[in-house]
């Protein structure tokens, strides 16, 4: 159901921060940076307190320049970008002609260049596709992953946006989990658990990566992933596969503008939004933590009283407060109060996308 998250390996060199004390390298999609630095629970606490920074230098960085860049990106992606103000952030998707998610873009424009932070290993494909769509427009596309690196930190950390700009740092503010009037129906609750987990990415020259961290404590991707899962935040290649549409994973709220002009895949967006019936739905699960082993992402989900798969575990994490948690992609007709079993482990679901 869901693509293997290891299918797109990072294409940049391993991070110099892997030499930090206690660093243990990640694997799969998160290879090249630290999974943790010896104490994931403490790292998660420091993230929650707004003190730690996460090495995301395995993410791709794409630069789009030229006077036509915003209107051009607007015409091809799901978000309204024509009037994006300098240093404002948003999120957008590249869809297939049939409306399936192909790329997830973290977008910020500095007034001269539009910066796109993308999943590890996906920048090459994105740049190739964008280059093929330039035609006669005044735009230039560059994979800048070998020149720039990404750091993640909770909003409210040491520097304000103005201070960051003075240092030449590009900052992207995560719009998740803002609820819009047109899209709130896709989320089962008005008070989203990610409301207090505001996140930003800093794009810094790769040569300045270590200096940009300074003396702040480091947190690994395990801690960041636990916070992501707890906030019900979908991730490309984890909660998505070759047939995912934005409605299924609650991306309609932050990454899709429902009233803009035509773009690739728009017909599917409009049809499913008007009918209100995505074929699958994202759900959050608490896993029974009495055992020592948790199921791996990709494990089939079954009903407690059945023996046929009804979905798949897409992400799993150990959260310092919530315990073992995960995200699952379920068939739409799975009852919202059904008890689930994942790899022999009992799981209780919380609805994210209302069927």
């Amino acid at each position: 159901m869901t693509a293997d998250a290891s299918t797109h390996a990072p294409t940049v060199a391993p991070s110099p921060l892997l030499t930090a004390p206690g660093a243990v390298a990640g694997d799969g999609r998160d290879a090249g940076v630290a999974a943790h630095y010896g104490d994931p629970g403490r790292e998660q606490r420091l993230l929650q307190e707004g003190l730690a920074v996460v090495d995301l230098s395995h993410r791709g960085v794409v630069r789009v320049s030229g006077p036509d860049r915003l209107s051009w990106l607007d015409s091809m992606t799901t978000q309204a970008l024509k009037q994006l103000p300098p240093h404002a952030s948003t999120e957008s998707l590249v869809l297939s002609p049939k409306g399936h998610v192909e790329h997830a873009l973290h977008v910020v424009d500095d007034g001269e260049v539009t910066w796109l932070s993308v999943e590890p290993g996906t920048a090459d494909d994105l740049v190739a596709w964008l280059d093929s769509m330039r035609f006669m427009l005044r735009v230039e596309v560059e994979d800048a992953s070998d020149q720039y690196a990404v750091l993640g930190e909770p909003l409210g950390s040491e520097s304000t946006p103005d201070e960051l700009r003075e240092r030449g740092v590009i900052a992207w503010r995560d719009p998740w989990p803002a609820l819009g009037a047109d899209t709130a129906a896709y989320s089962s609750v008005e008070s989203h658990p990610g409301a207090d987990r505001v996140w930003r990415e800093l794009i810094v020259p790769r040569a300045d990566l270590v200096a940009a961290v300074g003396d702040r404590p480091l947190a690994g991707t395990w801690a960041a992933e636990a916070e992501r899962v707890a906030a019900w935040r979908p991730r490309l290649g984890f909660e998505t596969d070759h047939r995912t549409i934005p409605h299924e994973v609650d991306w309609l709220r932050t990454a899709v503008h429902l009233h803009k002009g035509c773009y690739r895949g728009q017909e599917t967006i409009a049809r499913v939004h008007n009918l209100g019936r995505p074929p699958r739905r994202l759900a959050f699960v608490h896993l029974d933590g009495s055992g020592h082993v948790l199921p791996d992402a990709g494990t089939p989900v079954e009903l407690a009283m059945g023996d046929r798969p009804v979905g798949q575990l897409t992400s799993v994490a150990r959260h310092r407060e919530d315990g073992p948690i995960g995200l699952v992609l379920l068939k739409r007709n799975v009852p919202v109060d059904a008890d689930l079993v994942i790899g022999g482990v009992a799981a209780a679901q919380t609805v994210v996308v209302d069927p």
Side-chain angles (χ1 to χ4, degrees):
M1 219 184 222
T2 303
D4 183 352
S6 66
T7 55
H8 291 281
T11 56
V12 296
S15 172
L17 295 172
L18 282 173
T19 62
V24 175
D27 56 15
R29 181 68 69 90
D30 289 330
V33 296
H36 62 87
Y37 297 88
D39 191 345
R42 176 178 177 274
E43 294 162 29
Q44 203 177 132
R45 175 176 59 79
L46 291 172
L47 266 186
Q48 292 172 339
E49 293 174 355
L51 301 175
V53 60
V54 181
D55 182 5
L56 299 177
S57 61
H58 59 326
R59 286 184 64 85
V61 177
V62 175
R63 289 165 41 103
V64 183
S65 57
D68 296 332
R69 65 189 184 282
L70 288 175
S71 59
W72 179 62
L73 290 169
D74 179 277
S75 70
M76 298 183 297
T77 71
T78 58
Q79 191 58 271
L81 301 175
K82 286 183 181 179
Q83 305 301 321
L84 185 68
H87 303 290
S89 302
T90 190
E91 182 176 29
S92 193
L93 305 172
V94 173
L95 305 180
S96 74
K98 294 186 177 180
H100 302 137
V101 178
E102 293 187 343
H103 292 280
L105 315 177
H106 296 173
V107 184
V108 60
D109 193 273
D110 66 7
E112 296 180 354
V113 174
T114 302
W115 298 80
L116 309 176
S117 165
V118 298
E119 278 291 333
T122 65
D124 285 349
D125 288 345
L126 175 63
V127 168
W129 181 74
L130 289 175
D131 263 332
S132 72
M133 301 297 290
R134 284 193 303 151
F135 305 114
M136 299 298 291
L137 295 174
R138 299 169 296 169
V139 293
E140 296 293 334
V141 182
E142 175 191 6
D143 183 352
S145 305
D146 60 345
Q147 304 169 51
Y148 291 89
V150 179
L151 292 170
E153 63 178 21
L155 198 63
S157 297
E158 60 161 8
S159 300
T160 67
D162 287 340
E163 290 170 339
L164 290 170
R165 287 196 287 273
E166 289 177 3
R167 288 161 43 194
V169 175
I170 306 300
W172 174 81
R173 185 188 188 279
D174 192 350
W176 193 266
L179 286 169
D182 291 330
T183 57
Y186 282 92
S187 184
S188 65
V189 294
E190 293 182 2
S191 180
H192 195 286
D196 59 350
R197 294 179 170 92
V198 184
W199 181 262
R200 71 182 176 191
E201 292 177 355
L202 308 181
I203 302 176
V204 303
R206 189 166 289 274
D208 299 339
L209 180 63
V210 175
V213 173
D215 58 0
R216 288 181 292 170
L218 287 161
T221 56
W222 282 9
E225 282 292 281
E227 288 297 283
R228 175 184 71 83
V229 172
W232 307 351
R233 219 297 186 208
R235 183 177 174 189
L236 185 78
F238 289 71
E239 279 63 58
T240 69
D241 60 17
H242 66 283
R243 57 194 179 96
T244 300
I245 59 175
H247 319 64
E248 295 176 323
V249 296
D250 211 16
W251 246 330
L252 210 64
R253 291 189 289 111
T254 57
V256 178
H257 193 285
L258 293 171
H259 304 296
K260 59 173 278 186
C262 294
Y263 55 89
R264 193 166 78 158
Q266 185 199 22
E267 290 184 5
T268 298
I269 294 291
R271 181 174 67 252
V272 178
H273 176 65
N274 291 330
L275 294 176
R277 295 177 66 84
R280 299 176 295 182
R281 62 178 180 87
L282 188 69
F284 171 78
V285 291
H286 279 98
L287 298 160
D288 180 1
S290 58
H292 296 293
V293 178
L294 294 179
D296 294 327
T299 301
V301 178
E302 300 175 347
L303 296 177
M305 300 301 292
D307 58 359
R308 294 183 178 181
V310 295
Q312 190 174 68
L313 180 68
T314 58
S315 294
V316 62
R318 291 186 182 272
H319 195 273
R320 63 181 294 268
E321 296 172 340
D322 297 335
I325 57 175
L327 293 171
V328 295
L329 201 59
L330 302 173
K331 294 180 179 179
R332 183 184 65 221
N333 60 1
V334 174
V336 297
D337 58 351
D339 293 324
L340 307 174
V341 175
I342 308 173
V345 176
Q349 64 167 309
T350 298
V351 174
V352 176
V353 173
D354 193 327

